[in-house]
Amino acid sequence: MSIARSSAPWDISEPRADGVARILITGDDIQNKVAEIASEIDLEYADDVPLMICVLNGAVSFMADLMQATKIPLTIDFMAISSYGASTKSSGVVRILKDLNDEIEGRRIIIVEDIVDSGLTLQYLLDNLRRRNPKDINVIALLKKDTPAAIPVQVDRIGFTIPDEFVVGYGLDYAGRYRNLPYVAVLDPRVYSNEIPENA
Ligand code: IMP
Ligand code: MG
């Protein structure tokens, strides 16, 4: 594979994209979707100051772009939930690694998630936050995976529905890597079956 660098943000031959099989959603498509969702947020929360909660680490790219595309006043906070580790399937075991800094009682909450797969992580998060008595909660997920075994869970706005494949980029990782890609891509399965050794 060539390691030549290119200025095109969707180049998959650059080192940070090593192991990427194909681009599923381009950076341009993501940015158009972000603008669309942001204008819906502007309408929905015209009379409120909502709290946007980024679910770390995966939602970091989406949240950063989304909040900048909104025109209303809002505040932000972060929560980190344990997820896959270095596997590609959800364990169903969810743990809070970092909690919110502030109380959310009476606030209007926007949860910003990267991807809903089995729905277990989001279900846990919703149950947990509802017990803190916010005024209401809206869930925005960039991606929803078309997973047969998914549990029914509240998702109010989905950016893109994708096939049941493991994806990386735009915040999404495999073993901590690929989050800095500006697009969503399918990883070569040989990367996570260890047939392709990862670069250090
Ligand atoms: P769930 O609990 O199965 O819904 O998984 C939710 C979390 O797992 C997401 O917030 C992601 O962090 C991670 N995840 C699910 N599918 C993928 C994927 O295809 N690539 C990378 N991370 C994923
Ligand atoms: Mg996540």
Side-chain angles (χ1 to χ4, degrees):
M1 185 180 284
S2 159
I3 55 158
R5 283 190 173 276
S6 151
S7 58
W10 48 83
D11 186 354
I12 64 168
S13 67
E14 54 179 276
R16 67 178 167 168
D18 201 16
V20 161
R22 66 175 203 280
I23 295 176
L24 199 61
I25 309 168
T26 66
D28 286 349
D29 286 347
I30 293 172
Q31 295 309 324
N32 289 336
K33 188 63 76 176
V34 163
E36 191 185 312
I37 297 174
S39 35
E40 290 174 8
I41 292 174
D42 289 344
L43 287 177
E44 165 87 25
Y45 297 93
D47 302 320
D48 304 279
V49 179
L51 171 67
M52 224 183 225
I53 298 176
C54 175
V55 186
L56 294 172
N57 294 333
V60 71
S61 302
F62 184 36
M63 168 102 160
D65 285 344
L66 189 61
M67 69 179 195
Q68 291 175 80
T70 58
K71 296 189 174 68
I72 52 161
L74 53 76
T75 63
I76 64 168
D77 208 338
F78 297 87
M79 219 165 154
I81 307 275
S82 70
S83 158
Y84 287 167
S87 158
T88 59
K89 281 291 156 201
S90 192
S91 62
V93 180
V94 180
R95 205 158 53 94
I96 294 181
L97 304 176
K98 186 231 169 283
D99 208 340
L100 300 173
N101 288 341
D102 297 311
E103 307 281 307
I104 61 168
E105 185 159 357
R107 295 290 307 270
R108 299 197 68 190
I109 306 299
I110 304 171
I111 297 179
V112 181
E113 252 291 25
D114 51 357
I115 185 166
V116 180
D117 182 8
S118 70
L120 290 165
T121 307
L122 183 57
Q123 187 59 64
Y124 173 88
L125 191 61
L126 278 166
D127 289 347
N128 185 288
L129 294 181
R130 279 179 190 134
R131 284 200 293 276
R132 306 182 196 191
N133 299 318
K135 185 173 178 192
D136 62 18
I137 303 180
N138 262 291
V139 180
I140 301 177
L142 178 71
L143 306 172
K144 170 84 178 74
K145 218 183 261 190
D146 210 353
T147 313
I151 60 164
V153 65
Q154 176 197 341
V155 189
D156 301 282
R157 188 67 164 88
I158 294 165
F160 305 90
T161 301
I162 61 165
D164 189 9
E165 281 182 287
F166 195 78
V167 293
V168 295
Y170 199 66
L172 291 142
D173 75 306
Y174 172 67
R177 286 182 49 186
Y178 304 103
R179 294 194 197 275
N180 55 333
L181 297 173
Y183 47 77
V184 173
V186 177
L187 203 54
D188 186 327
R190 286 176 297 174
V191 172
Y192 49 81
S193 61
N194 281 324
E195 285 169 51
I196 299 179
E198 285 180 56
N199 293 343

